[in-house]
Amino acid sequence: AKYTGADRAREHSSALDATAQHHAELSAALRRGLELGEFRLLYQPIVELPSGLVTGVEALIRWHPVDQPVVSPAEFIPVAEHSGLIIDLGAWILDQACADAAAWQREHGAAGPRVNINVSARQLLDPDLPGLVAGALHRHGLTPDRITIEITETAVFAGGAALETVRELRELGVGLALDDFGTGHSSLTLLRTCPVTTLKVDKSFIDDLNGTAEQEAIASSLSTIASTLGLRAVAEGVETRDQADRLHALGYRYAQGYYFARPVPAADITALLTAPVLT
Ligand code: C2E
Ligand code: CA
Ligand code: CA
Ligand code: CA
């Protein structure tokens, strides 16, 4: 029989059903996982280049479903956003990250690392977010300067209320980092309206530093923008010694990437604080 457009449409819609089905199952598994305590935070060091010391960490979530391999956030964060679970999951992340930050501060005092916490677009649209952050700080006896909330340009532009939430977060006194800086369409426009304290320069600008003079000029300009505006610049995705040295020479004060350390469990951070990771 002839393969018709109607057949094709039917197949297409059953493929969509299968996708929707998979999505629904994954959402339910994520919700169960949150109830069962299957999520863990890893922490990746942020290094101060002049001293070589770890002065901060970024919290990065992992999901460990029973008897299954660990699932990366790239796979489940979009689903958690779509289903709305990110609100409860985000509250758990915030509480756990503040608990770990407080433990490091008790153990190491001012040398304890500041903690960066990723917040997704959906969370920024939640008017309760600033109150949630204030509550977590209070519960764990943390001053707001110990944490930095990482947001993306896309999330800030997701709606008018997002920018208001960002301003309220800043009024609390927490740091605000613009993640994946330079990859959006209006990165520079955003700097006029969004009260950020840190620019995290995207890995794509760091990758080809040993390539051309143009690459170096772009990376250099991004660090200049940060310092001119009185913001911190963090270079993301540093994988080689050569990149670290060039970034330092270009005026980057902070860097993060596999060259220094991969994301590790909280218990492994202390060992990284005792001596410079870059000498
Ligand atoms: P991101 O916020 O841009 O985080 C940086 C990602 O780059 C992390 O991947 C990190 O492990 C990886 N990375 C760090 N250094 C290097 C390097 O030198 N080379 C390479 N190739 N990669 C490097 P991860 O942990 O898989 O997280 C992926 C994304 O998932 C994050 O991107 C963030 O958008 C999201 N995410 C992770 N944790 C959370 C969370 O707690 N909440 C929310 N809302 N999103 C999260
Ligand atoms: Ca981030
Ligand atoms: Ca990033
Ligand atoms: Ca990213």
Side-chain angles (χ1 to χ4, degrees), residues 118-189:
N118 289 286
V119 153
S120 72
R122 180 85 174 244
Q123 287 175 279
L124 274 190
L125 290 175
D126 174 12
D128 295 337
L129 183 66
L132 215 61
V133 171
L137 291 170
H138 181 76
R139 245 187 333 279
H140 298 287
L142 274 180
T143 50
D145 60 301
R146 305 299 302 177
I147 69 166
T148 292
I149 303 291
E150 296 199 5
I151 59 178
T152 60
E153 180 185 326
T154 330
V156 178
F157 282 129
L163 187 56
E164 184 49 36
T165 304
V166 165
R167 293 196 172 116
E168 284 176 31
L169 285 170
R170 185 65 199 119
E171 278 163 23
L172 288 178
V174 302
L176 274 180
L178 201 48
D179 207 350
D180 308 337
F181 183 69
T183 58
H185 293 295
S186 331
S187 302
L188 299 181
T189 307

Side-chain angles (χ1 to χ4, degrees), residues 135-255:
L137 291 170
H138 181 76
R139 245 187 333 279
H140 298 287
L142 274 180
T143 50
D145 60 301
R146 305 299 302 177
I147 69 166
T148 292
I149 303 291
E150 296 199 5
I151 59 178
T152 60
E153 180 185 326
T154 330
V156 178
F157 282 129
L163 187 56
E164 184 49 36
T165 304
V166 165
R167 293 196 172 116
E168 284 176 31
L169 285 170
R170 185 65 199 119
E171 278 163 23
L172 288 178
V174 302
L176 274 180
L178 201 48
D179 207 350
D180 308 337
F181 183 69
T183 58
H185 293 295
S186 331
S187 302
L188 299 181
T189 307
L190 196 62
L191 294 182
R192 292 192 307 205
T193 53
C194 192
V196 295
T197 57
T198 301
L199 303 182
K200 295 196 76 176
V201 176
D202 192 71
K203 182 176 187 303
S204 57
F205 300 106
I206 308 303
D207 279 344
D208 298 324
L209 265 186
N210 44 358
T212 63
E214 283 82 359
Q215 285 288 351
E216 190 141 318
I218 292 168
S220 167
S221 306
L222 294 172
S223 96
T224 302
I225 289 169
S227 62
T228 306
L229 296 175
L231 310 175
R232 294 165 182 246
V234 181
E236 290 195 292
V238 177
E239 294 181 345
T240 67
R241 173 72 201 220
D242 186 54
Q243 283 175 312
D245 290 341
R246 280 167 197 262
L247 288 163
H248 191 184
L250 292 177
Y252 282 83
R253 193 171 173 84
Y254 299 94

Side-chain angles (χ1 to χ4, degrees), residues 16-40:
L16 280 183
D17 287 349
T19 307
Q21 174 80 15
H22 173 71
H23 188 277
E25 282 168 11
L26 187 52
S27 296
L30 284 168
R31 180 160 288 287
R32 256 191 330 271
L34 184 57
E35 284 160 10
L36 295 173
E38 293 176 347
F39 290 93
R40 299 274 181 281

Side-chain angles (χ1 to χ4, degrees), residues 67 90 104 112 123 159 205 254 257 263 268-269:
D67 298 334
W104 284 318
Q123 287 175 279
F205 300 106
Y254 299 94
D268 296 357
I269 289 294

